[in-house]
């Protein structure tokens, strides 16, 4: 008896996905509720579990194929037995003892690696055996590959070493130049479409300011150890900026509003999109009701977003909604940028790296840790005066954090 596996509901307004990777192959035993296939939607990866225990049967689609919600994607054979491995042949008698060969490290089966991860490995010409997998059954994820590249532990593929010959070895000719075409992931296609949509729809403009980070750095240095000990999370800068944005949105509510048809929708809450990096690209989970959260609650949720973004386990509903976004390009070393709106939002705050710069204070040139801030906004809804006022409110709150506590 076979049980059909159907593509489940993937989230509001999402009707299709791509097959990213089969986690079980035909003939393999499957437990009930065990993930058998990973689907890639416009926003996140979704694992589809087996409805019953049995043996993996027919697979209707290949990695990279598009599937729709409700489609038959595979079948599970109930009561079947997994294919048993072939018995090893009996060892032939050895006439004389010989030296044992050096152990061989078994590399992950190349065909078992998802197309997205395989494309990344091929791009950098990496040896999969040099990378530890953290996915299901030790499978490699994009996060594993990127982490290994960043740590310098990923090895480049090399040809097997040939026996030393008496004759000199001829120098190989330079490898021919080559090009490779890799299909864009659904997430990258969605990012491209939405960014272009924002440029085509909104009257986008960016205003800049700089902020002296001395007070925030001093407060963080003074309390970070006690904060981490008490709350179990690192005390970063993002909670200060989230709180400052909440304060600024109260003074300039148009920045958190949205245009719907011929109406402007004002909101009395702050659902902040926090842009985080994932192996498939930038994703923006929503920090809901930031106006009601403490510093510790904000830091914990942002840390959780970042961790699950790297693992690809963010839920679709966690990235829906939001009425303002904060994007911190400074973690990658960016000095200045013009962030693009995340429709239908009307504002996005870009943060950048902190660096010591000479500034004038009290008629004297002094060195201060400065950061450039950029506010991109929809000029159809927000006037220049409102945009500048909003950015000044954020600057004032960061340079005098006591304002965050007494709501000034």
């Amino acid at each position: 008896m076979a049980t059909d596996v159907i593509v489940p509901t993937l989230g509001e307004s999402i009707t299709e996905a791509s097959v990213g990777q089969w986690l079980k192959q035909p003939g393999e035993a499957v437990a009930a509720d065990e993930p058998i296939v990973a689907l890639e939607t416009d926003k996140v990866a979704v694992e589809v579990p087996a409805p019953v225990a049995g043996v993996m049967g027919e697979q209707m689609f290949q990695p990279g194929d598009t599937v729709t919600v409700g489609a038959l994607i595979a079948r599970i054979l109930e009561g079947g037995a997994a294919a048993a491995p072939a018995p090893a042949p009996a060892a032939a008698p050895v006439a004389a003892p010989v030296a044992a060969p050096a152990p061989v490290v078994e590399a992950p089966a190349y065909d078992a690696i998802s197309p997205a991860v395989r494309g990344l490995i091929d791009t950098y010409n990496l040896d999969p055996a040099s990378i530890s997998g953290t996915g299901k059954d030790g499978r490699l994820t994009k996060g594993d590959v990127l982490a290994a590249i960043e740590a310098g532990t990923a090895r480049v593929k090399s040809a097997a070493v040939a026996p030393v010959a008496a004759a000199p070895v001829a120098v190989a000719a330079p490898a021919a130049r080559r090009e490779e075409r890799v299909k864009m992931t659904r997430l990258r296609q969605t990012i491209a479409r939405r960014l272009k949509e924002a440029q085509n729809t909104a009257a986008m403009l960016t205003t800049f300011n700089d902020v002296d980070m001395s007070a925030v750095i001093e407060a963080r240095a003074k309390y970070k150890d006690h904060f981490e000990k008490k709350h179990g999370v690192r005390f970063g800068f993002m909670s200060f900026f989230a709180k400052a944005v909440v304060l600024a949105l109260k003074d300039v509510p148009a920045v958190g509003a949205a245009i719907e048809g011929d109406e402007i929708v004002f909101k009395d809450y702050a659902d902040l999109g926090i842009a985080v990096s994932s192996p498939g690209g930038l994703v923006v989970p929503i920090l809901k009701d930031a106006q009601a959260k403490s510093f510790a609650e904000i830091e914990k949720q942002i840390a959780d977003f970042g961790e699950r973004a790297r693992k690809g386990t963010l839920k679709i509903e966690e990235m829906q909604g939001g009425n303002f976004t904060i994007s911190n390009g400074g973690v990658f070393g960016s000095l200045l940028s013009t962030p693009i709106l995340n429709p239908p939002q009307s504002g996005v705050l870009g943060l950048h790296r902190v660096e010591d710069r000479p500034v004038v204070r009290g008629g004297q040139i002094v060195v201060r840790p400065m950061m450039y801030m950029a506010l991109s906004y929809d000029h159809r809804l927000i006037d220049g005066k409102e945009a500048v006022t909003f950015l000044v409110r954020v600057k004032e709150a960061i340079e005098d954090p006591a304002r965050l506590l007494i709501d000034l």
Side-chain angles (χ1 to χ4, degrees):
M1 178 178 175
T3 298
D4 292 344
V5 181
I6 305 299
V7 177
T9 300
L10 301 171
E12 182 182 354
S13 75
I14 298 179
T15 59
E16 63 181 24
S18 295
V19 178
Q21 177 184 5
W22 283 102
L23 306 178
K24 289 290 183 178
Q25 298 302 319
E28 291 185 346
V30 176
D33 296 324
E34 182 180 9
I36 60 172
V37 62
L39 303 180
E40 295 180 355
T41 72
D42 291 349
K43 297 180 178 180
V44 293
V46 177
E47 291 185 343
V48 179
V52 296
V55 174
M56 190 70 207
E58 184 181 6
Q59 296 172 345
M60 312 303 177
F61 297 92
Q62 298 298 317
D65 289 349
T66 297
V67 295
T68 57
V69 172
L72 172 64
I73 192 172
R75 289 191 172 94
I76 303 295
L77 306 179
E78 299 179 51
V94 179
V98 294
V104 177
V105 177
E106 185 177 352
Y110 188 75
D111 291 340
I113 299 174
S114 71
V117 178
R118 196 185 309 158
L120 190 59
I121 288 174
D122 290 345
T123 298
Y124 290 93
N125 193 33
L126 301 178
D127 179 4
S130 67
I131 305 171
S132 298
T134 61
K136 179 70 175 177
D137 298 328
R139 290 180 172 88
L140 294 182
T141 68
K142 272 192 172 182
D144 297 331
V145 178
L146 293 172
I149 293 172
E150 184 176 351
T153 57
R155 296 195 306 268
V156 176
K157 290 179 184 177
S158 59
V161 178
V164 178
V169 179
V171 178
R177 300 196 315 168
R178 68 187 184 94
E179 294 181 353
E180 182 178 6
R181 294 179 181 268
V182 178
K183 186 176 180 179
M184 292 173 68
T185 64
R186 295 188 69 85
L187 175 58
R188 177 53 58 186
Q189 292 178 49
T190 300
I191 291 172
R193 185 180 68 250
R194 285 179 62 81
L195 293 183
K196 191 59 184 172
E197 173 189 327
Q199 288 183 319
N200 292 341
T201 303
M204 204 154 45
L205 192 62
T206 304
T207 186
F208 303 91
N209 212 322
D210 62 358
V211 57
D212 186 339
M213 296 290 290
S214 299
V216 166
I217 291 174
E218 181 181 350
R220 182 171 173 268
K222 184 176 181 180
Y223 296 113
K224 67 177 182 179
D225 292 339
H226 185 63
F227 185 93
E228 186 168 354
K229 182 177 180 180
K230 180 176 181 179
H231 300 292
V233 66
R234 179 176 171 271
F235 193 18
F237 293 142
M238 285 298 288
S239 54
F240 285 95
F241 280 99
K243 286 282 192 179
V245 164
V246 168
L247 204 62
L249 285 174
K250 290 181 180 179
D251 285 352
V252 193
V255 178
I259 295 176
E260 291 187 5
D262 60 355
E263 297 179 330
I264 300 173
V265 182
F266 291 93
K267 302 171 183 179
D268 67 350
Y269 54 84
D271 285 355
L272 304 183
I274 306 296
V276 294
S277 181
S278 77
L282 200 68
V283 294
V284 188
I286 307 301
L287 180 69
K288 293 188 176 180
D289 290 317
Q291 78 283 354
K293 287 182 165 56
S294 66
F295 279 82
E297 289 172 329
I298 292 172
E299 290 291 354
K300 285 179 180 178
Q301 195 160 355
I302 291 176
D304 177 61
F305 285 157
E307 178 66 21
R308 290 192 290 125
R310 288 188 289 273
K311 294 180 179 178
T313 57
L314 284 170
K315 298 177 182 178
I316 293 173
E317 56 267 25
E318 292 177 308
M319 291 183 284
Q320 294 175 333
N323 56 321
F324 188 85
T325 291
I326 303 175
S327 179
N328 186 7
V331 296
F332 304 110
S334 172
L335 175 65
L336 193 62
S337 66
T338 54
I340 298 179
L341 293 175
N342 183 21
Q345 297 174 21
S346 300
V348 53
L349 178 67
L351 307 179
H352 303 91
R353 73 171 185 251
V354 179
E355 64 177 7
D356 288 340
R357 290 202 297 270
V359 295
V360 177
R361 295 288 185 269
Q364 300 294 319
I365 298 177
V366 295
V367 174
R368 291 287 188 269
M370 304 297 293
M371 174 198 285
Y372 288 119
M373 298 186 299
L375 175 69
S376 291
Y377 59 98
D378 190 343
H379 211 347
R380 296 178 302 166
L381 171 60
I382 302 164
D383 294 330
K385 178 183 176 181
E386 293 174 308
V388 172
T389 301
F390 178 91
L391 205 51
V392 168
R393 292 290 179 270
V394 174
K395 173 184 172 71
E396 290 172 343
I398 295 300
E399 294 185 340
D400 184 7
R403 288 174 174 268
L404 301 176
L405 303 177
I406 57 179
D407 196 17
L408 282 180

